């Protein structure tokens, strides 16, 4: 019975953390849902600018003009609430970490949030204009470009998540090196395979065009190099030494 009590308390705390994270997303959503149509229009600007004269967006489903902005606003609410969602995750796992682990995780949580936002901004301001311009100019003569609003939304959300996650590569490299799974030296030796892997991932996560594939693969490689540089400051041996010092302080 004594072993069940801690488990139940942990499950209750996990439930409370998940409820708070969900509530934060809903609160943000309710705060911005009034501007759902404006938000969707802002998201459609890169495509609208690339369309030829007379090109427009269409809705092939009766409910699409309502649900597409609604869906986009809900996803945007999640993006905005990510710092608080990550804080809830951090608050749940923090009591079980050593001091040196807390010193590592705190900056990583902050960095991962910033990198995710940077990935989304890179996709919107750099990738979208080039990709949509390429698609618009690649259409055969006599073909009028008319993109469905649901198809466009799914397309941009896929790219947002792809670039947002790709920009987390430095965090993944640091965590792998810190956990002792690999080391910066081993990763350097595997660099040729990682270069090939980056372009394969770019091919799988982006539309079938060379521009978007390359614009995802190249930042992934640069971020990988940045992760290698940052991983040098996190040594598994040093962390073990810190852990032994902390254990010695707690048990003199």
């Amino acid at each position: 019975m004594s072993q069940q009590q801690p488990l139940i308390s942990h499950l209750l705390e996990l439930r409370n953390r998940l409820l708070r994270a969900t509530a934060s997303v809903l609160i943000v959503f309710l705060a911005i849902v009034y501007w759902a149509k404006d938000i969707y229009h802002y998201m459609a600007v890169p495509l609208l600018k690339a369309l030829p004269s007379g090109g427009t967006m269409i809705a092939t489903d009766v409910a699409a003009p309502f649900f597409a902005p609604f869906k986009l606003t809900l996803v945007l609410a999640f993006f905005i609430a990510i710092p608080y969602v990550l804080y809830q995750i951090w608050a749940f796992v923090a009591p079980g970490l050593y001091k040196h682990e807390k010193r590592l995780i705190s900056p990583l949580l902050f960095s991962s949030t910033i990198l995710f936002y940077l990935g989304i901004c890179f996709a919107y301001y750099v990738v979208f204009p080039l990709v949509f311009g390429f698609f618009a100019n690649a259409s055969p003569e006599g073909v009028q470009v008319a993109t469905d609003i649901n198809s466009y939304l799914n397309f941009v959300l896929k790219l947002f998540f792809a670039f947002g996650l790709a920009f987390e590569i430095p965090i993944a490299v640091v965590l792998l090196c810190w956990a002792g799974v690999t080391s910066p030296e081993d990763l350097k030796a595997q660099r040729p395979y990682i270069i090939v892997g980056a372009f394969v991932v770019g091919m799988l996560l982006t539309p079938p065009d060379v521009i978007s594939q390359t614009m995802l693969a190249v930042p992934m490689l640069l971020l990988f190099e940045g992760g290698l540089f940052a991983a040098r400051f996190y040594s598994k041996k040093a962390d073990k030494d810190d852990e032994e010092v902390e254990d010695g302080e707690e048990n003199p």
Side-chain angles (χ1 to χ4, degrees):
M1 185 67 180
S2 60
Q3 294 179 349
Q4 293 180 351
Q5 287 299 114
L7 177 60
I8 294 175
S9 63
H10 285 310
L11 291 176
L12 289 175
E13 182 182 0
L14 177 60
R15 183 199 65 178
N16 292 334
R17 297 291 180 186
L18 291 175
L19 288 175
R20 292 174 186 174
T22 304
S24 67
V25 176
L26 292 177
I27 290 173
V28 175
F29 172 75
L30 293 175
I32 64 176
V33 68
Y34 178 79
W35 297 278
K37 293 182 180 180
D38 296 327
I39 293 171
Y40 190 93
H41 175 75
Y42 183 78
M43 197 62 56
V45 166
L47 175 63
L48 296 175
K49 288 184 176 179
L51 290 176
S53 179
T56 183
M57 300 182 70
I58 61 174
T60 57
D61 188 5
V62 175
F66 171 78
F67 283 110
F70 185 90
K71 178 181 177 181
L72 176 60
T73 306
L74 184 59
V75 174
L76 178 61
F78 173 73
F79 287 168
I80 296 175
I82 277 180
Y84 186 77
V85 173
L86 292 178
Y87 168 76
Q88 292 301 320
I89 298 174
W90 160 250
F92 177 74
V93 302
L97 300 177
Y98 289 102
K99 291 182 180 179
H100 71 280
E101 292 174 332
K102 293 180 181 179
R103 291 197 299 268
L104 170 68
I105 297 299
S106 296
L108 287 182
L109 283 176
F110 176 79
S111 302
S112 62
T113 303
I114 298 300
L115 288 172
F116 186 79
Y117 287 152
L118 287 177
I120 292 175
C121 291
F122 181 81
Y124 182 83
Y125 291 105
V126 178
V127 178
F128 285 3
L130 294 175
V131 170
F132 296 145
F134 169 79
F135 286 156
N137 293 327
S139 61
E141 185 178 355
V143 175
Q144 183 178 2
V145 179
T147 304
D148 177 65
I149 61 174
N150 266 329
S151 299
Y152 176 76
L153 177 60
N154 294 332
F155 179 87
V156 298
L157 289 182
K158 180 180 178 180
L159 286 183
F160 278 152
F161 279 107
F163 279 88
L165 293 177
F167 271 58
E168 301 293 331
I169 287 178
I171 307 299
V173 172
V174 169
L175 289 176
L176 289 174
C177 294
W178 170 72
V181 176
T182 185
S183 66
E185 291 73 20
D186 292 337
L187 290 175
K188 287 181 181 178
Q190 302 297 324
R191 186 178 279 124
Y193 302 102
I194 293 174
I195 293 175
V196 175
F199 280 92
V200 172
V201 172
M203 177 184 65
L204 296 175
L205 295 181
T206 60
D209 67 278
V210 178
I211 296 177
S212 56
Q213 293 172 8
T214 303
M215 296 195 71
L216 178 60
V218 172
M220 287 174 64
L221 294 174
L222 294 177
L223 291 166
F224 168 75
E225 296 296 333
L228 282 182
F229 177 79
R232 298 175 182 175
F233 299 97
Y234 296 98
S235 169
K236 184 63 179 175
K237 180 178 183 301
D239 287 341
K240 289 182 178 179
D241 294 339
D242 290 344
E243 184 176 334
E244 292 175 358
V245 171
E246 292 173 5
D247 290 340
E249 292 176 351
E250 294 176 358
N251 302 293

